[in-house]
Amino acid sequence: MRPTIFVRMVIGYLGVFIPVAALTVYAFSSLALFRSGTDNILRMDSRMRDLGESLSDSILAQTRYEKKYLITRDNELYERFLLLEKDVSRRIGEGISLADTTRKKDALIRIRDYYDVYRTVFDDEAARAGKGRPSLPAEYRERKEKAVDGILGELGNLKLFTEEDTRERMRQLGESGARINKIAVMMGGGFVLAGIVISLFITRSITRPLFRMSEKTRQVAGGDFGPPLDLSSPPEMKELAEDFNLMCMRLNETDKMKSDFFSLMAHELRMPLASIKEGTSLLLNGIGEEFPEKRREVLTIIAEESIHLIDLTNSLLDLSKMEAGMMTLDLQPTEMEPLIRKAAAGLEPLAMAKKVGIHIGITGGLPPITMDKGRIAQVLGNLLGNAVKFTPEGGDVTISAQSVEGGVRVSVTDTGPGIAEADLTTIFDKFQQAAVTKYNKIKGTGMGLAIVKHIINAHGGKVWVESEPGRGSAFIFLLPA
């Protein structure tokens, strides 16, 4: 029998626990290396002390050479002074780069500044001596002596700082050694406990999502889709939950499509079916045998209601596929003007019967649009059909198109009763016909504009309506080029 996920994870974390325990043992041996590392720090402080002493010796030697040179004018003394000058500058720079605290570095910088003053004054004195000119005034000599005193004073401070730092480091190292010993012991026990706890926790983090997914599966099987399943850990479970949520979403959409269909049956099919039934009953009972006109009227009603049912069914199927994301588009570069003229010609007979004029207005050349010409033709047919249907006798319907930045703008305008402002935001929703249908007493499926919106959105465009009651309506859509 293969081990369960829980058993496998426990075994896996035992494999992590053993190296951690070994690491704890290694920490104890590392303490010896830590103590040996303290020697390096001490050597650094020792180097700084040696550097300070050598600087002090070099400065004092320079002062001796410069005094003898000013008295004897011996160039050999001057050359020795210059050699020491290079050595002093090198050691000061080395000390600044070596300094590990701010106060040491500041002391060395002050030494450098004092030394620059000392060297500048001596250079002036040496130049005067070489030309046989009188010595500098006493105030310059005092400045030089102050610079030397400042250098020696800062060297003393440097020595003091170095000794204080050495003592402080030794104290800290002693404390750190004791603290590390204590921490190492605690870590040994802590790692053992943490390894067990983490193993149980992570194992539970896998078994718990599986349990939640099992519960969610039973809920879905019972028809309760509920909120989406949110599983963030581990990543494999998250991906599985996302796929599961996608499945639930599709099932929910299918269930909603079923509910919408039954709602439509109750809402839209009752009256047409009742009319067909009553008309059929009248014909079966012999009505119209003596009055042919009455018989023709009943048959006309039955035919109209049958057409209405067919249109309703086709619209419902189209809209359901679109909402389920199953609408496929055959995108090809297509000219818009031929589609517009063909859609207008197709509705010309209906417009003539209603005595409604259809006008076409195309401004300039229209760029080709990448689109599914069958679906866009459906959009044009729906918009023109609505415009003709809701325009009273003697009215006009105008379809215009023009090139705009980034695409083509198409507008279908009528001289009908218009749409109330409250209905402008819902007219593109399913089963929403607003007050315009009531005003004209014209039957519709309430899905034509919803289909238009889905098709235009699928092409990356947008559609909207502009209307005022009593002033007609303009349905406009924009398609990107």
Coordinates of all heavy atoms in Angstrom, one line a residue, residues 195-255:
G195 N 11.3 21.7 13.5 CA 11.2 20.8 12.5 C 9.9 19.9 12.5 O 9.2 19.7 11.5
I196 N 9.6 19.5 13.8 CA 8.4 18.7 14.0 C 7.1 19.6 13.7 O 6.2 19.2 13.0 CB 8.3 18.2 15.4 CG1 9.5 17.2 15.6 CG2 7.0 17.5 15.6 CD1 9.6 16.7 17.0
V197 N 7.1 20.8 14.2 CA 5.9 21.7 14.1 C 5.7 22.0 12.6 O 4.6 22.0 12.0 CB 6.1 22.9 14.9 CG1 5.0 24.0 14.6 CG2 6.0 22.6 16.4
I198 N 6.8 22.4 11.9 CA 6.7 22.8 10.5 C 6.2 21.6 9.6 O 5.4 21.7 8.7 CB 8.0 23.3 10.0 CG1 8.3 24.7 10.7 CG2 8.0 23.5 8.5 CD1 9.7 25.2 10.3
S199 N 6.8 20.4 10.0 CA 6.4 19.2 9.2 C 4.9 19.0 9.3 O 4.2 18.8 8.4 CB 7.1 18.0 9.7 OG 8.5 18.2 9.5
L200 N 4.4 19.1 10.6 CA 2.9 18.9 10.8 C 2.1 20.0 10.1 O 1.1 19.8 9.5 CB 2.6 18.9 12.3 CG 3.2 17.7 13.1 CD1 2.9 17.8 14.6 CD2 2.5 16.4 12.6
F201 N 2.6 21.3 10.2 CA 1.9 22.4 9.7 C 1.8 22.3 8.1 O 0.7 22.5 7.5 CB 2.6 23.7 10.0 CG 2.0 24.9 9.4 CD1 0.8 25.5 9.9 CD2 2.6 25.5 8.3 CE1 0.2 26.6 9.3 CE2 2.0 26.6 7.7 CZ 0.8 27.2 8.3
I202 N 2.9 22.0 7.5 CA 2.9 22.0 6.0 C 2.1 20.8 5.5 O 1.3 20.8 4.5 CB 4.3 21.9 5.5 CG1 5.0 23.3 5.8 CG2 4.3 21.7 4.0 CD1 6.4 23.4 5.3
T203 N 2.2 19.7 6.3 CA 1.4 18.5 5.9 C -0.1 18.8 6.0 O -0.9 18.5 5.1 CB 1.8 17.3 6.8 OG1 3.2 17.1 6.7 CG2 1.0 16.1 6.4
R204 N -0.4 19.5 7.1 CA -1.8 19.9 7.2 C -2.3 20.9 6.1 O -3.4 20.9 5.7 CB -2.0 20.5 8.6 CG -3.4 21.0 8.9 CD -4.4 19.8 8.9 NE -5.7 20.3 9.3 CZ -6.8 19.5 9.1 NH1 -6.7 18.4 8.5 NH2 -8.0 20.0 9.5
S205 N -1.3 21.7 5.7 CA -1.7 22.7 4.7 C -2.0 22.0 3.3 O -2.6 22.7 2.5 CB -0.5 23.7 4.5 OG 0.6 23.1 3.8
I206 N -1.6 20.8 3.2 CA -2.0 20.0 2.0 C -3.2 19.3 2.2 O -4.1 19.3 1.3 CB -0.8 19.1 1.6 CG1 0.4 19.9 1.2 CG2 -1.2 18.2 0.5 CD1 1.6 19.1 0.8
T207 N -3.4 18.6 3.3 CA -4.6 17.8 3.5 C -5.8 18.6 3.7 O -6.9 18.3 3.3 CB -4.4 16.9 4.8 OG1 -4.1 17.7 5.9 CG2 -3.2 15.9 4.6
R208 N -5.7 19.9 4.3 CA -6.8 20.7 4.5 C -7.4 21.2 3.2 O -8.7 21.1 3.0 CB -6.5 21.9 5.4 CG -7.7 22.8 5.7 CD -7.2 23.9 6.7 NE -8.4 24.7 7.0 CZ -8.3 25.8 7.7 NH1 -7.1 26.2 8.2 NH2 -9.4 26.6 8.0
P209 N -6.6 21.7 2.2 CA -7.2 22.1 0.9 C -7.9 20.9 0.2 O -8.9 21.1 -0.4 CB -6.0 22.6 0.1 CG -5.0 23.1 1.1 CD -5.2 22.1 2.3
L210 N -7.3 19.7 0.3 CA -8.0 18.6 -0.3 C -9.3 18.3 0.4 O -10.3 18.0 -0.3 CB -7.1 17.3 -0.1 CG -5.8 17.3 -1.0 CD1 -4.9 16.1 -0.6 CD2 -6.2 17.3 -2.4
F211 N -9.4 18.5 1.7 CA -10.7 18.3 2.4 C -11.7 19.4 1.9 O -12.9 19.0 1.7 CB -10.4 18.4 3.9 CG -11.7 18.3 4.7 CD1 -12.4 17.0 4.8 CD2 -12.2 19.4 5.3 CE1 -13.5 16.9 5.6 CE2 -13.4 19.3 6.1 CZ -14.1 18.1 6.2
R212 N -11.2 20.6 1.8 CA -12.1 21.7 1.4 C -12.6 21.5 -0.1 O -13.8 21.7 -0.4 CB -11.4 23.0 1.5 CG -11.2 23.5 2.9 CD -10.6 24.9 2.9 NE -11.4 25.9 2.2 CZ -10.9 27.1 1.8 NH1 -9.7 27.4 2.1 NH2 -11.7 27.9 1.1
M213 N -11.7 21.0 -0.9 CA -12.1 20.7 -2.3 C -13.1 19.6 -2.3 O -14.0 19.6 -3.1 CB -10.9 20.4 -3.1 CG -11.2 20.3 -4.6 SD -9.6 20.2 -5.6 CE -9.1 21.9 -5.3
S214 N -12.9 18.6 -1.5 CA -13.9 17.5 -1.4 C -15.3 18.0 -1.0 O -16.3 17.6 -1.6 CB -13.4 16.4 -0.4 OG -14.3 15.4 -0.3
E215 N -15.3 18.9 0.0 CA -16.6 19.5 0.4 C -17.2 20.3 -0.7 O -18.4 20.2 -0.9 CB -16.4 20.4 1.7 CG -16.1 19.6 3.0 CD -16.1 20.6 4.1 OE1 -15.7 21.8 3.9 OE2 -16.4 20.2 5.3
K216 N -16.4 21.1 -1.4 CA -16.9 21.9 -2.5 C -17.5 21.0 -3.6 O -18.5 21.3 -4.2 CB -15.8 22.8 -3.0 CG -16.2 23.7 -4.1 CD -17.2 24.8 -3.6 CE -17.5 25.8 -4.6 NZ -18.5 26.8 -4.2
T217 N -16.8 19.9 -3.8 CA -17.3 19.0 -4.9 C -18.7 18.5 -4.5 O -19.6 18.4 -5.4 CB -16.3 17.8 -5.1 OG1 -15.0 18.4 -5.4 CG2 -16.7 16.9 -6.2
R218 N -18.9 18.1 -3.3 CA -20.2 17.6 -2.8 C -21.2 18.7 -3.0 O -22.4 18.5 -3.3 CB -20.1 17.1 -1.4 CG -19.4 15.8 -1.3 CD -19.6 15.2 0.1 NE -19.0 15.9 1.2 CZ -17.7 15.7 1.6 NH1 -17.0 14.7 1.0 NH2 -17.2 16.5 2.5
Q219 N -20.9 20.0 -2.7 CA -21.8 21.1 -2.8 C -22.2 21.3 -4.3 O -23.4 21.5 -4.6 CB -21.2 22.4 -2.3 CG -21.0 22.4 -0.8 CD -20.3 23.6 -0.3 OE1 -20.0 24.6 -1.1 NE2 -20.0 23.7 1.0
V220 N -21.2 21.3 -5.2 CA -21.5 21.4 -6.6 C -22.4 20.3 -7.1 O -23.3 20.5 -7.9 CB -20.2 21.5 -7.4 CG1 -20.5 21.5 -8.9 CG2 -19.4 22.8 -7.0
A221 N -22.1 19.1 -6.6 CA -22.9 17.9 -7.0 C -24.3 18.1 -6.6 O -25.3 17.6 -7.2 CB -22.3 16.6 -6.4
G222 N -24.6 18.9 -5.5 CA -25.9 19.1 -5.0 C -26.5 20.3 -5.6 O -27.6 20.7 -5.2
G223 N -25.8 21.0 -6.6 CA -26.4 22.2 -7.3 C -26.1 23.5 -6.6 O -26.6 24.5 -7.1
D224 N -25.3 23.5 -5.6 CA -24.9 24.7 -4.9 C -23.5 25.1 -5.3 O -22.5 24.6 -4.9 CB -24.9 24.5 -3.4 CG -24.6 25.8 -2.6 OD1 -24.5 26.9 -3.2 OD2 -24.3 25.7 -1.4
F225 N -23.4 26.1 -6.2 CA -22.1 26.5 -6.8 C -21.4 27.5 -5.8 O -20.2 27.5 -5.7 CB -22.3 27.2 -8.1 CG -22.9 26.3 -9.1 CD1 -24.2 26.3 -9.5 CD2 -22.1 25.4 -9.8 CE1 -24.8 25.5 -10.4 CE2 -22.6 24.5 -10.7 CZ -24.0 24.6 -11.0
G226 N -22.1 28.3 -5.1 CA -21.6 29.1 -4.0 C -20.4 30.0 -4.4 O -20.2 30.2 -5.6
P227 N -19.7 30.6 -3.5 CA -18.5 31.4 -3.8 C -17.4 30.6 -4.3 O -17.3 29.4 -4.1 CB -18.2 32.1 -2.5 CG -18.7 31.1 -1.4 CD -19.9 30.5 -2.0
P228 N -16.5 31.2 -5.1 CA -15.3 30.5 -5.6 C -14.4 29.9 -4.5 O -14.3 30.5 -3.4 CB -14.6 31.5 -6.5 CG -15.0 32.8 -6.0 CD -16.4 32.6 -5.5
L229 N -13.8 28.8 -4.8 CA -12.9 28.2 -3.9 C -11.6 28.9 -3.9 O -10.9 29.1 -4.9 CB -12.7 26.7 -4.2 CG -12.0 25.8 -3.3 CD1 -12.8 25.7 -1.9 CD2 -11.8 24.4 -3.8
D230 N -11.1 29.4 -2.7 CA -9.9 30.1 -2.6 C -8.8 29.3 -1.9 O -8.9 29.2 -0.6 CB -10.1 31.4 -1.9 CG -8.9 32.3 -1.8 OD1 -7.9 32.0 -2.6 OD2 -8.8 33.2 -1.0
L231 N -7.9 28.7 -2.6 CA -6.8 27.9 -2.0 C -5.5 28.5 -2.5 O -5.2 28.5 -3.7 CB -6.9 26.4 -2.5 CG -8.2 25.7 -2.1 CD1 -8.2 24.3 -2.7 CD2 -8.4 25.7 -0.6
S232 N -4.7 29.0 -1.6 CA -3.5 29.7 -2.0 C -2.2 28.9 -1.8 O -1.2 29.2 -2.3 CB -3.3 31.0 -1.2 OG -3.3 30.7 0.2
S233 N -2.3 27.8 -1.0 CA -1.1 27.0 -0.8 C -1.5 25.6 -0.6 O -2.5 25.2 -0.1 CB -0.4 27.5 0.5 OG 0.7 26.7 0.8
P234 N -0.6 24.7 -1.1 CA 0.6 24.9 -2.0 C 0.3 25.3 -3.4 O -0.9 25.3 -3.7 CB 1.4 23.6 -1.9 CG 0.3 22.6 -1.7 CD -0.7 23.3 -0.9
P235 N 1.2 25.7 -4.2 CA 0.9 26.2 -5.6 C 0.1 25.2 -6.4 O -0.7 25.6 -7.2 CB 2.3 26.5 -6.2 CG 3.2 26.7 -5.0 CD 2.7 25.9 -3.9
E236 N 0.5 23.9 -6.3 CA -0.3 22.9 -7.0 C -1.7 22.9 -6.7 O -2.6 22.8 -7.5 CB 0.3 21.5 -6.8 CG 1.8 21.3 -7.3 CD 2.8 21.8 -6.3 OE1 2.4 22.3 -5.2 OE2 4.0 21.7 -6.6
M237 N -2.0 23.1 -5.4 CA -3.4 23.1 -5.0 C -4.1 24.4 -5.5 O -5.3 24.4 -5.8 CB -3.5 23.1 -3.4 CG -3.1 21.7 -2.9 SD -4.2 20.5 -3.4 CE -3.4 19.0 -2.9
K238 N -3.4 25.5 -5.5 CA -3.9 26.7 -6.1 C -4.3 26.6 -7.5 O -5.4 27.0 -7.9 CB -2.9 27.9 -5.9 CG -3.4 29.2 -6.4 CD -2.4 30.3 -6.2 CE -2.9 31.6 -6.7 NZ -1.9 32.7 -6.5
E239 N -3.5 26.0 -8.3 CA -3.8 25.8 -9.7 C -5.0 24.9 -9.9 O -5.9 25.1 -10.7 CB -2.6 25.2 -10.4 CG -1.4 26.2 -10.5 CD -0.2 25.5 -11.2 OE1 -0.3 24.3 -11.6 OE2 0.9 26.2 -11.3
L240 N -5.0 23.8 -9.0 CA -6.2 22.9 -9.1 C -7.4 23.6 -8.7 O -8.5 23.4 -9.3 CB -5.9 21.7 -8.2 CG -7.0 20.6 -8.1 CD1 -7.2 20.0 -9.5 CD2 -6.6 19.6 -7.1
A241 N -7.4 24.5 -7.7 CA -8.6 25.3 -7.3 C -9.0 26.2 -8.4 O -10.2 26.4 -8.6 CB -8.3 26.0 -6.0
E242 N -8.1 26.8 -9.1 CA -8.4 27.7 -10.2 C -9.2 27.0 -11.3 O -10.1 27.5 -11.9 CB -7.2 28.4 -10.7 CG -6.6 29.5 -9.8 CD -5.3 30.0 -10.3 OE1 -4.8 29.5 -11.3 OE2 -4.8 31.0 -9.7
D243 N -8.6 25.8 -11.6 CA -9.3 25.0 -12.7 C -10.7 24.6 -12.2 O -11.7 24.5 -12.9 CB -8.5 23.8 -13.0 CG -7.2 24.1 -13.7 OD1 -7.1 25.2 -14.3 OD2 -6.2 23.3 -13.6
F244 N -10.8 24.2 -10.9 CA -12.1 23.8 -10.3 C -13.1 25.0 -10.3 O -14.2 24.8 -10.7 CB -11.8 23.3 -8.9 CG -13.1 22.7 -8.2 CD1 -13.4 21.4 -8.4 CD2 -13.9 23.5 -7.4 CE1 -14.5 20.8 -7.9 CE2 -15.0 22.9 -6.8 CZ -15.3 21.6 -7.1
N245 N -12.6 26.2 -10.0 CA -13.4 27.4 -10.0 C -13.9 27.7 -11.4 O -15.1 28.1 -11.7 CB -12.7 28.6 -9.5 CG -12.5 28.5 -8.0 OD1 -13.3 27.8 -7.3 ND2 -11.5 29.1 -7.4
L246 N -13.0 27.5 -12.4 CA -13.4 27.7 -13.8 C -14.5 26.7 -14.2 O -15.5 27.1 -14.9 CB -12.2 27.5 -14.7 CG -12.4 27.7 -16.2 CD1 -12.9 29.1 -16.5 CD2 -11.2 27.4 -17.0
M247 N -14.4 25.5 -13.8 CA -15.4 24.5 -14.1 C -16.7 24.9 -13.4 O -17.8 24.8 -14.0 CB -14.9 23.1 -13.5 CG -16.0 22.0 -13.8 SD -15.6 20.5 -12.9 CE -15.9 21.0 -11.2
C248 N -16.6 25.3 -12.1 CA -17.9 25.7 -11.4 C -18.5 26.9 -12.1 O -19.7 27.0 -12.2 CB -17.5 26.1 -10.0 SG -17.1 24.7 -9.0
M249 N -17.6 27.9 -12.6 CA -18.2 29.1 -13.3 C -18.9 28.7 -14.6 O -20.0 29.2 -14.8 CB -17.0 30.0 -13.6 CG -17.5 31.3 -14.3 SD -16.1 32.4 -14.7 CE -15.4 31.4 -16.1
R250 N -18.3 27.7 -15.3 CA -19.0 27.3 -16.5 C -20.3 26.5 -16.2 O -21.3 26.7 -16.9 CB -18.0 26.3 -17.3 CG -16.8 27.1 -17.9 CD -17.2 28.1 -18.9 NE -16.1 28.9 -19.4 CZ -15.3 28.5 -20.3 NH1 -15.5 27.4 -21.0 NH2 -14.3 29.3 -20.7
L251 N -20.3 25.7 -15.2 CA -21.5 25.0 -14.8 C -22.5 26.0 -14.3 O -23.7 25.9 -14.6 CB -21.2 24.0 -13.6 CG -20.4 22.8 -14.0 CD1 -20.0 22.0 -12.8 CD2 -21.2 21.9 -15.0
N252 N -22.1 27.1 -13.6 CA -23.0 28.1 -13.1 C -23.6 28.8 -14.3 O -24.8 29.2 -14.3 CB -22.3 29.1 -12.2 CG -23.3 29.9 -11.4 OD1 -24.4 29.6 -11.2 ND2 -22.8 31.1 -11.0
E253 N -22.8 29.1 -15.3 CA -23.3 29.8 -16.5 C -24.3 28.9 -17.2 O -25.3 29.4 -17.7 CB -22.1 30.2 -17.4 CG -21.2 31.3 -16.9 CD -20.0 31.5 -17.8 OE1 -19.9 30.7 -18.8 OE2 -19.3 32.4 -17.6
T254 N -24.0 27.7 -17.3 CA -24.9 26.7 -17.9 C -26.2 26.7 -17.2 O -27.3 26.7 -17.8 CB -24.3 25.3 -18.0 OG1 -23.1 25.4 -18.7 CG2 -25.2 24.4 -18.7
D255 N -26.1 26.7 -15.9 CA -27.3 26.7 -15.0 C -28.1 28.0 -15.2 O -29.4 27.9 -15.2 CB -26.9 26.5 -13.6 CG -28.1 26.3 -12.7 OD1 -28.8 25.2 -12.8 OD2 -28.4 27.1 -11.8

